[in-house]
Amino acid sequence: MGRTVGVLALQGDFEAHGRMLRSLGAQVREVRVPADLDGLDGLVIPGGESTTMTLGIEREGLAEPLRELGAAGTPVLGTCAGLIMLDRDHLGMMDLRAERNAFGRQVRSFEADLEIDGIAGGPVRAVFIRAPWVAEHGDGVEVLAAVDGHPVVVREGNLLAISFHPELTGESRIHERFLALVRDAAAA
Ligand code: GLN
């Protein structure tokens, strides 16, 4: 309770993440410029469009401050385009390479019930929208869920990345898990 979580608000569905986090008792701050990162206990990088988001991050000079936030141990949750932003070819915060639009053109969007390691209470309803998957990753990256053998939920220490949109289904367990990481990091 009382933790302040930033939501990168340059582009994408940051408002839905904000609503979910507030409903779980977090204070939410929309992040648009580097100063907005000061004192955050956690950060969400939402889904959207990764090329547009990259341009916004460059324009606002956010790349280095975001990397510093992650390197300092602050929990970061990246979803969909947010997962892409965390990969080696973008912010380089996680030791993985994301494949964009990986599920192909015919199945651009679909829903699935996913068992996720560390999330109790049965499968999570997951909405995939032109979603990436993790094509390659280093040994330090734990795979918490996969679809057809392709990792879609991964964790590397304080960094959690998922391919789908947990903010769209009324499913709160992903955000609750993330807020538990935020509480643990703040207490440490
Ligand atoms: N396909 C988008 C991209 O490559 C990501 C889709 C999403 O965030 N729902 O940026």
Side-chain angles (χ1 to χ4, degrees):
M1 288 298 170
R3 302 294 177 203
T4 303
V5 176
V7 182
L8 189 66
L10 297 172
Q11 189 269 335
D13 67 341
F14 53 88
E15 284 172 346
H17 281 281
R19 278 194 294 277
M20 176 67 81
L21 291 163
R22 277 189 203 98
S23 79
L24 296 172
Q27 313 273 1
V28 174
R29 186 193 302 159
E30 294 188 353
V31 171
R32 296 192 171 81
V33 295
D36 295 335
L37 296 171
D38 290 349
L40 287 182
D41 299 305
L43 178 76
V44 174
I45 305 181
E49 207 289 310
S50 55
T51 305
T52 311
M53 217 179 279
T54 299
L55 291 171
I57 285 172
E58 292 304 323
R59 185 186 64 230
E60 301 301 338
L62 274 161
E64 197 48 38
L66 287 169
R67 283 193 279 267
E68 282 167 13
L69 183 92
T74 306
V76 177
L77 169 66
T79 71
C80 205
L83 178 154
I84 297 170
M85 298 315 308
L86 292 169
D87 92 344
R88 292 175 189 148
D89 296 335
H90 294 82
L91 289 168
M93 291 169 64
M94 292 185 82
D95 186 15
L96 60 87
R97 186 175 68 76
E99 179 81 24
R100 290 180 67 188
N101 303 319
F103 291 94
R105 290 181 188 280
Q106 310 88 307
V107 277
R108 290 164 74 81
S109 302
F110 63 98
E111 297 190 22
D113 291 312
L114 265 192
E115 288 288 351
I116 302 177
D117 283 1
I119 303 231
V124 167
R125 188 76 180 155
V127 180
F128 293 81
I129 304 171
R130 294 181 294 281
W133 66 44
V134 175
E136 291 168 34
H137 62 83
D139 293 340
V141 175
E142 275 177 278
V143 177
L144 305 181
V147 171
D148 298 336
H150 302 288
V152 294
V153 180
V154 292
R155 177 174 173 190
E156 186 175 3
N158 55 315
L159 309 174
L160 184 63
I162 68 182
S163 292
F164 57 89
H165 283 263
E167 73 287 4
L168 296 180
T169 42
E171 166 65 67
S172 61
R173 284 175 291 167
I174 300 280
H175 290 83
E176 282 169 28
R177 182 76 193 89
F178 175 64
L179 289 175
L181 294 180
V182 169
R183 273 192 301 276
D184 292 350

